[in-house]
Amino acid sequence: MSVGFHTLTVAEVVDETSEARSIRFAVPEELRETFRFKPGQHLTLKADVAGEELRRNYSLCVAPQDDQVMVTVKRIAGGAFSNWANDNLKPGDRVEVMPPHGSFTWDFVPGAANHYVGFAGGSGITPVISLLKTALLTEKESRFTLFYGNRDSGSIIFLEALASLKNRFMDRLQVYHFLAEEAEEFALFNGMLDRPKCDEILDRLIDGDVRGDVAAFFICGPGPMMDSAEEALKASGVPSDKIHLERFTADRPPEALQAQLAELSRDAAGLSMLVTLDGRKRRVAFDTAAGNILDSARAAGLPAPFACKAGVCATCRARVVSGEVEMAARYGLTDDEVASGYVLTCQSVPKGEGVELDYDA
């Protein structure tokens, strides 16, 4: 993956709700291959907001078959980037965008006949609708069941798009809405997607054996909702390798992560690392003031990629070629990625000499 930013022009802005807008980018022919994506992946956007460089990740809300590059940005209370984007971005504006990345995806295979299930909360629907649509378009015999929680009907992102998909794939798509602050006729659909609700969903709304008849579960949304869905699935006997999660925020507060990194950094004083980036290998001194491998590389002049710096987005992912590295958090990595030697460099420090990392891997 090319880790640099490219300047793209905003082609269209769509108001999804009063709090969320979708932004479609025009991709020039020479960058079409660079911006080819897998369903469920995201883009990193960069902008100067009030004199400060901000980077944020936003999930692609379209399927690869749509031949579009489009993300959805929901306002967050106090969110500098999300409020700026909702208030200011318009067609013709130019934005710095990193090519698609992320491991919250699935390889859909033509001819397969699977059942997929999604749990989404709020703006967590964004990567899930990309996966959902791709599954239905690619695997003509597969089914998808979506459980989608929101505050009220006015806050449902992609309400009309989901209804249209339901009409188009009537026999293969089921969509269930759950509202926390709006009463539905059936009590099952009232309230948040908490643990009791998720247990009830698995018991009443999924056909067949939840452990064996569903190929994959996709979960994205607020942390407590994701934890509830994951715990309910595991309690039902669903193997961990069938459960796929995309976290927008870290489970631990930033101060706790910073404190753990500071403690690890003290033991790494005086160490150096070999770092490969954009095909070049350089020796980099670990900077205890920087506090992690990512910022040490950037302090040495390397354009190492990053976005959230909270261990969530995996933009700063690199593979450990040799030596040992300790991580304070790994929310953005799958178990398979960790087993393959990948680390989040914003959350990592070298453990002894001989560490070599490859951002290009």
Side-chain angles (χ1 to χ4, degrees):
M1 182 194 80
S2 171
V3 296
F5 283 89
H6 300 271
T7 303
L8 299 184
T9 300
V10 176
E12 181 184 17
V13 176
V14 179
D15 290 325
E16 303 289 358
T17 70
S18 62
E19 299 177 334
R21 309 176 92 191
S22 291
I23 301 161
R24 181 170 65 84
F25 293 102
V27 179
E29 188 62 36
E30 63 270 20
L31 290 177
R32 288 178 67 85
E33 191 62 33
T34 299
F35 280 87
R36 194 175 301 280
F37 63 91
K38 297 179 180 180
Q41 290 191 310
H42 54 263
L43 303 178
T44 299
L45 310 187
K46 179 174 70 172
D48 185 290
V49 179
E52 180 183 3
E53 181 191 287
L54 299 179
R55 303 183 182 201
R56 297 292 186 272
N57 293 310
Y58 294 104
S59 296
L60 289 143
C61 60
V62 287
Q65 292 94 326
D66 291 324
D67 197 26
Q68 295 180 344
V69 172
M70 193 173 194
V71 299
T72 303
V73 181
K74 182 180 179 181
R75 289 184 186 272
I76 299 174
F81 196 106
S82 65
N83 285 291
W84 170 82
N86 273 273
D87 290 336
N88 295 282
L89 281 184
K90 60 186 184 302
D93 287 346
R94 293 165 70 77
V95 180
E96 295 294 302
V97 184
M98 189 180 287
H101 53 112
S103 57
F104 184 63
T105 187
W106 183 266
D107 291 325
F108 298 103
V109 181
N114 291 320
H115 184 195
Y116 303 101
V117 173
F119 286 84
S123 59
I125 186 62
T126 310
V128 174
I129 197 172
S130 176
L131 290 158
L132 177 157
K133 192 172 183 181
T134 306
L136 297 173
L137 289 171
T138 305
E139 300 180 357
K140 308 298 185 182
E141 302 299 320
S142 288
R143 298 180 294 128
F144 204 109
T145 302
L146 173 65
F147 305 110
Y148 185 18
N150 281 282
R151 184 179 65 250
D152 52 42
S153 55
S155 63
I156 301 176
I157 303 174
F158 309 132
L159 177 62
E160 292 184 7
L162 287 168
S164 177
L165 287 168
K166 180 69 180 75
N167 289 334
R168 181 178 175 185
F169 302 102
M170 193 167 296
D171 297 332
R172 300 197 288 129
L173 174 62
Q174 291 180 297
V175 179
Y176 298 97
H177 292 284
F178 300 82
L179 303 178
E181 299 178 7
E182 199 172 299
E184 293 285 326
E185 180 180 355
F186 298 102
L188 173 61
F189 303 110
N190 296 330
M192 299 182 296
L193 291 177
D194 55 14
R195 175 61 193 277
K197 185 71 67 179
C198 290
D199 286 336
E200 191 173 10
I201 286 169
L202 295 180
D203 183 54
R204 298 177 58 181
L205 295 180
I206 295 184
D207 297 333
D209 178 7
V210 69
R211 291 168 298 177
D213 293 346
V214 179
F217 296 84
F218 304 106
I219 307 172
C220 187
M225 175 239 121
M226 295 182 64
D227 293 340
S228 295
E230 182 182 21
E231 290 166 4
L233 289 170
K234 288 183 174 179
S236 295
V238 176
S240 295
D241 61 1
K242 284 191 174 186
I243 304 172
H244 306 271
L245 301 98
E246 176 81 324
R247 294 193 182 275
F248 289 161
T249 57
D251 288 341
R252 286 188 288 163
E255 308 80 52
L257 291 173
Q258 299 259 339
Q260 185 175 353
L261 276 170
E263 183 177 343
L264 294 173
S265 295
R266 285 193 289 272
D267 296 331
L271 297 178
S272 65
M273 310 161 286
L274 278 176
V275 176
T276 299
L277 178 64
D278 293 336
R280 296 181 59 199
K281 184 180 295 187
R282 284 184 53 182
R283 182 161 295 281
V284 172
F286 181 76
D287 188 337
T288 53
N292 57 61
I293 291 172
L294 168 69
D295 287 332
S296 295
R298 293 187 66 83
L302 297 180
F306 73 93
C308 74
K309 288 192 177 182
V312 176
C313 70
T315 307
C316 67
R317 188 187 82 157
R319 188 169 65 85
V320 178
V321 178
S322 63
E324 290 186 64
V325 165
E326 289 192 80
M327 270 192 296
R330 45 149 292 188
Y331 307 116
L333 295 177
T334 65
D335 290 341
D336 286 344
E337 287 174 313
V338 173
S340 297
Y342 287 97
V343 296
L344 302 177
T345 56
C346 75
Q347 297 295 313
S348 299
V349 300
K351 186 180 180 182
E353 291 288 1
V355 169
E356 181 177 348
L357 300 110
D358 186 355
Y359 278 97
D360 298 340

